[in-house]
Amino acid sequence: MGKHDDYGKILFQELFGDKRWSASSPERIVDESGVQAYLDGIIYSKDGSVEYAVEIEARVYKQIRGAIVDLALHKAPKKLLVIMRAQSQLGTEEKIIEHCSFVWRELAGQDRGVFQVICLSGTGNAPAFEEDKRLLMEKLQVIVS
């Protein structure tokens, strides 16, 4: 698990730098009735406000659904779920996006902000830095540029 999270966080750090990405900001913490959820990171807008709450997952669907709940409860206007296909049960990118989007719609609807799922090519065990940076830049071009 640590290798996958580290890989994802390195990608975001390289894309956004210290001013726009934080994996340690207190703004990534969600209070869930006395239990704290620590999201993987926050992407700030160019004006310094929180733009995206980010979760990075590489495990099974049960953990992914937990990440979706944590994202839904965060106050950021946009939520980004980054998936690494490190587990064979996850299946295709289409299956992952369809499942995650279904769960989001059923649990959060439109009242909890914009939700986006991105499936990376690499993992912590098999990095694909350049390909994944290009993918993230393409999918998030509005905030990267």
Side-chain angles (χ1 to χ4, degrees), residues 54-114:
V54 179
E55 275 287 87
I56 302 165
E57 285 295 335
R59 295 184 286 172
V60 296
Y61 281 108
K62 185 174 184 174
Q63 280 84 17
I64 291 171
R65 288 190 296 272
I68 292 171
V69 169
D70 294 345
L71 285 170
L73 295 174
H74 194 277
K75 294 182 191 298
K78 299 175 184 174
K79 323 303 170 118
L80 178 60
L81 179 59
V82 177
I83 305 293
M84 289 177 230
R85 289 172 280 175
Q87 303 293 325
S88 60
Q89 76 118 193
L90 294 179
T92 66
E93 179 176 350
E94 293 77 20
K95 177 183 175 184
I96 293 166
I97 291 171
E98 183 179 322
H99 177 74
C100 293
S101 297
F102 168 80
V103 172
W104 179 264
R105 283 190 310 274
E106 292 296 312
L107 293 178
Q110 296 178 346
D111 298 340
R112 297 286 182 167
V114 175

